[in-house]
């Protein structure tokens, strides 16, 4: 493995990607929500991988990517897979989810937190979030588990979610779930670089899923990982991710698996990106401070809080706009930004309000629904320039009529 990776290339061969890829005719100064931010070493990593011939979803490059993820997160056992959603799917399989089982998650999340479980026949229950972090409310979870425990209807798994780079209170949640013997699968897809109680996102769960999709703080150009401190769980996940082949010269199967391996080509991009993680967190946190300075004094505008027990990566800077105090509502601001070629996006629509989950269980109050109604994610790419951030701030300030 060490012989093949890394293979250094002369600097002259490290051509920027833009040399060869067609550049779309973008409108001038289009500002995206969270575009990929190349670290500089991707081309060399790709070239080395292609020259080595190891391009399949196996071999030294995915293995090196897994080791780098283990080092970055502190979770010792990692399997790299094709997406964060694939990692969650494998996680549910490793927890022996069966049709009819309940799976509980925060209602303020992306559909992928629960979609694989629902596709496996699980019944979802959506729990509200807490005001300190906007992530799964541990007190609500404790009450709901006690109630479910008394009636013998405990969920098969609880899925706390790291939201916009902010961790759930995972250790507290794990403690609560341990009392009832319910395993925790952390959706840490948006959690790379975020910390909770001195640990990286995902640490403390039985299983944690990460994403390296194009919009995430670190991207492989697409990809994900499932990680754990339990080697047996990750060995099982790896078996399932590679078609559940039993040992032997012919193909022998005792169960069916998936083709979820991460291509070496993508793993090489991820490997080149990961060393920049701390820089990316610093850049996104600095952007957040810039927004706070530019917008913090406006009436009716407030920012996603950061609890004392965590360090958010500020993957996406997220604000709340109280229309009465601000003089314009969230959608007015979003459309004003769009007219200037600036992408922004409402906070997740809570899953209990999604038509596809009509009739699903719901616990807790209306905080997530309010956060959706008033919440807007602002351009937060780690390569966003000060000039572009000033444009975003200027458009939002211009909407404030109070
Ligand atoms: C991005 C994301 C996912 C899905 O990851 P993919 O790699 O796009 O499949 C799941 N959950 C959350 C919270 C995410 O942000």
């Amino acid at each position: 493995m060490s012989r093949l990776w890394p293979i250094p290339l002369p600097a002259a061969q490290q051509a920027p990607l833009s040399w060869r890829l067609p550049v779309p005719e973008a409108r001038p100064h289009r500002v995206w929500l969270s575009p990929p931010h190349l670290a500089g070493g991707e081309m060399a990593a790709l070239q080395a991988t292609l020259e080595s011939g190891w391009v399949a979803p196996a071999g030294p490059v995915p293995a090196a990517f897994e080791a780098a993820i283990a080092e970055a997160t502190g979770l010792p056992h990692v399997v790299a897979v094709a997406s964060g959603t694939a990692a969650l799917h494998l996680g549910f399989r490793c927890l022996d989810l069966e049709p009819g089982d309940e799976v509980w998650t925060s209602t303020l999340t992306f559909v992928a937190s629960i979609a694989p479980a629902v596709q496996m026949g699980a019944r979802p229950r959506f729990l509200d979030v807490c005001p300190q972090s906007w992530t799964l409310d541990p007190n609500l979870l404790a009450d709901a588990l006690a109630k479910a425990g008394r009636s013998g209807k405990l969920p098969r798994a609880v899925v706390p979610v790291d939201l916009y780079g902010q961790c759930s209170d995972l250790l507290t949640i794990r403690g609560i779930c341990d009392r009832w013997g319910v395993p925790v699968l952390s959706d840490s897809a948006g959690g790379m670089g975020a910390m909770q109680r001195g640990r990286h996102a995902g640490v403390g769960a039985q299983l944690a899923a990460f994403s390296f999709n194009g919009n995430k703080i670190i991207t492989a150009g697409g990809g994900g990982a499932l990680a754990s401190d339990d080697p047996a769980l990750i060995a099982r996940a790896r078996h399932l991710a590679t078609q559940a082949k039993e040992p032997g010269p012919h193909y022998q199967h005792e169960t069916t698996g998936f083709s979820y391996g991460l291509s070496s080509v993508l793993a090489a991009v991820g490997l080149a990106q990961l060393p920049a993680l701390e820089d990316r967190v610093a850049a996104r946190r600095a952007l957040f401070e810039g927004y706070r300075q530019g917008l913090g004094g406006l009436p009716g505008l407030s920012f996603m809080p950061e609890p004392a027990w965590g360090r958010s990566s500020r993957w996406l800077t997220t604000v709340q706009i109280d229309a009465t105090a601000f003089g314009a509502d969230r959608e007015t601001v979003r459309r004003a930004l769009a007219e200037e070629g600036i992408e922004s996006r409402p906070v997740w629509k809570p899953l209990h309000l999604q038509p596809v989950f009509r009739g699903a269980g719901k616990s807790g109050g209306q905080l997530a629904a309010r956060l959706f109604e008033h919440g807007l994610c602002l351009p937060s790419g780690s390569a966003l320039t000060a000039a572009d951030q000033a444009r975003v701030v200027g458009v939002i300030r211009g909407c404030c009529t109070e």
Side-chain angles (χ1 to χ4, degrees):
M1 179 196 299
S2 52
R3 221 164 29 82
L4 283 157
W5 184 269
I7 301 170
L9 281 179
Q13 288 185 39
Q14 298 180 14
L17 271 175
S18 56
W19 278 21
R20 310 220 182 140
L21 296 179
V23 180
E25 287 287 331
R27 285 168 60 186
H29 306 306
R30 187 95 171 82
V31 175
W32 301 100
L33 191 66
S34 180
H37 182 181
L38 296 185
E42 289 87 352
M43 184 60 93
L46 279 169
Q47 194 153 357
T49 301
L50 295 174
E51 282 175 0
S52 78
W54 289 84
V55 296
V61 184
F65 187 43
E66 287 165 355
I69 295 166
E71 198 185 316
T73 60
L75 285 162
H77 304 285
V78 179
V79 57
V81 292
S83 69
T85 309
L88 287 158
H89 194 182
L90 286 170
F92 290 122
R93 273 291 293 266
C94 289
L95 297 177
D96 295 316
L97 183 68
E98 284 177 11
D101 284 344
E102 282 202 17
V103 175
W104 294 5
T105 189
S106 158
T107 191
L108 193 63
T109 186
F110 184 47
V111 66
S113 301
I114 198 77
V118 171
Q119 287 154 1
M120 292 169 74
R123 290 182 299 129
R125 170 171 291 275
F126 300 113
L127 284 76
D128 205 9
V129 294
C130 59
Q132 295 84 356
S133 63
W134 301 4
T135 56
L136 179 65
D137 184 344
N139 294 325
L140 180 61
L141 175 68
D143 290 350
L145 278 177
K147 205 169 141 204
R150 280 194 300 272
S151 54
K153 288 181 184 151
L154 287 166
R156 173 67 65 174
V158 167
V159 183
V161 182
D162 300 334
L163 184 75
Y164 302 138
Q166 177 138 289
C167 292
S168 69
D169 190 358
L170 194 50
L171 292 186
T172 304
I173 289 168
R174 172 71 188 263
I176 293 164
C177 288
D178 276 354
R179 268 181 249 154
W180 298 98
V182 175
V184 177
L185 167 56
S186 179
D187 180 352
S188 294
M192 281 306 297
M195 305 291 287
Q196 33 103 19
R197 301 190 188 275
R199 295 153 176 90
H200 190 274
V203 176
Q206 269 88 354
L207 287 162
F210 298 96
S211 169
F212 303 100
N213 196 351
N215 62 347
K216 302 299 201 263
I217 193 163
I218 290 291
T219 182
L226 189 67
S228 178
D229 50 19
D230 180 344
L233 280 176
I234 296 304
R236 174 123 184 263
R238 193 183 298 284
H239 177 68
L240 289 168
T242 49
Q243 304 283 24
K245 294 172 194 149
E246 300 300 328
H250 62 276
Y251 287 149
Q252 174 89 6
H253 303 278
E254 286 170 20
T255 185
T256 58
F258 310 96
S259 181
Y260 274 171
L262 180 67
S263 161
S264 295
V265 179
L266 297 175
V269 175
L271 254 178
Q273 286 256 308
L274 258 184
L277 179 58
E278 276 308 310
D279 286 353
R280 298 297 183 251
V281 172
R284 297 212 186 220
R285 288 187 65 89
L287 270 180
F288 175 83
E289 277 313 316
Y291 280 126
R292 185 130 75 181
Q293 277 163 28
L295 302 171
L298 297 179
L301 187 145
S302 58
F303 290 86
M304 182 176 183
E306 185 176 40
W309 45 262
R311 182 198 70 166
S312 173
S313 71
R314 297 293 183 186
W315 170 43
L316 296 183
T317 287
T318 300
V319 296
Q320 287 283 301
I321 297 168
D322 173 346
T324 316
F326 189 76
D329 64 7
R330 188 275 314 279
E331 272 308 282
T332 305
V333 175
R334 192 188 62 75
R335 280 194 297 266
L337 288 166
E339 267 169 36
E340 293 299 315
I342 298 167
E343 185 185 30
S344 65
R345 185 162 300 148
V347 162
W348 303 123
K349 179 171 182 172
L351 294 187
H352 75 275
L353 298 177
Q354 295 285 1
V356 64
F357 298 129
R358 206 177 286 118
K362 162 82 184 7
S363 297
Q366 298 300 320
L367 178 56
R370 285 206 306 279
L371 294 172
F372 163 59
E373 193 184 337
H374 304 294
L376 191 64
C377 301
L378 302 182
S380 304
S382 42
L384 189 73
T385 62
D388 279 343
Q389 187 176 27
R391 276 180 59 210
V392 179
V393 166
V395 173
I396 297 174
R397 292 192 72 94
C399 294
C400 178
T401 58
E402 290 302 308

